[in-house]
Amino acid sequence: SLTAVSHSTAPPARIQSVQLHRSPGANPINLHPSIHHNCTMTDLQATPVGDLNEKLDENPVQEDQYRMIWIGTGIAVFGNFLSSLSFQLQRLAHQRNTKGLPYTSIPLWWAGFALMALGEVGNFLAYGMAPASLVSPLGAVAVISNAVLSRIVLKEPLSWRRLIGVILALLGSVLIALA
């Protein structure tokens, strides 16, 4: 027997699924759309029921979405790191400005400004590639890298209390990214 479930009655009918029952006790054969449930009867292919889940796991659209999420996550992390580095460079320019020059005339300040712009462009792109629920919490990377870079670049002390805060922020970012 042959059973078909369609989305509409207007020709051509959109087929959701078709199942072919052979003899009693034999495995039925599912006929399913090759990519989505949005095809006509001629677009169907035969697959034994046991192989159906394996076929659905091989969806290239899903792989591209995951790849974009990972790329967006990487861009968000890198963009937040660049923003943090930009703050440190601008603060360093302020500290080194002993002559009282306008900050806009100091090349190091402009380097920090350029890195900030580049980091924010990265964050903007990340929001287009990954869900906001993932990109937003990754803003904690800027807090973490600010704490570490201020120790390296500006020689500021890092107390145990702040170090524990950095570790907890890092742990929270990782947990949210993995969830």
Side-chain angles (χ1 to χ4, degrees):
S1 70
L2 183 65
T3 308
V5 179
S6 69
H7 287 293
S8 67
T9 55
R14 297 291 177 200
I15 306 300
Q16 182 178 7
S17 65
V18 176
Q19 193 170 59
L20 175 64
H21 297 276
R22 296 181 289 177
S23 60
N27 287 337
I29 294 179
N30 271 351
L31 301 173
H32 63 88
S34 56
I35 297 176
H36 297 289
H37 296 297
N38 211 9
C39 67
T40 61
M41 192 66 163
T42 58
D43 296 328
L44 297 173
Q45 51 181 261
T47 304
V49 172
D51 297 337
L52 184 59
N53 288 334
E54 293 171 16
K55 290 287 184 187
L56 293 176
D57 288 340
E58 297 171 2
N59 189 349
V61 174
Q62 218 174 25
E63 289 177 18
D64 287 344
Q65 289 172 345
Y66 287 131
R67 187 176 305 123
M68 291 300 286
I69 289 172
W70 279 107
I71 290 170
T73 301
I75 290 174
V77 169
F78 188 67
N80 282 308
F81 177 78
L82 284 182
S83 293
S84 157
L85 182 60
S86 76
F87 295 139
Q88 302 306 318
L89 291 179
Q90 287 184 327
R91 287 178 61 198
L92 187 61
H94 286 271
Q95 284 181 353
R96 290 183 178 175
N97 186 12
T98 56
K99 297 179 184 176
L101 298 172
Y103 295 113
T104 56
S105 66
I106 302 172
L108 186 60
W109 187 88
W110 279 108
F113 185 81
L115 284 178
M116 183 185 307
L118 189 60
E120 293 307 318
V121 166
N123 279 331
F124 179 75
L125 290 174
Y127 277 106
M129 298 175 147
S133 60
L134 175 63
V135 174
S136 292
L138 291 174
V141 169
V143 174
I144 296 164
S145 55
N146 263 328
V148 173
L149 287 174
S150 66
R151 172 84 173 125
I152 296 168
V153 175
L154 302 172
K155 309 295 187 237
E156 292 181 356
L158 184 62
S159 67
W160 282 105
R161 195 174 183 181
R162 287 184 182 169
L163 181 62
I164 290 171
V166 166
I167 291 170
L168 289 175
L170 179 63
L171 182 63
S173 293
V174 168
L175 289 175
I176 287 176
L178 294 176

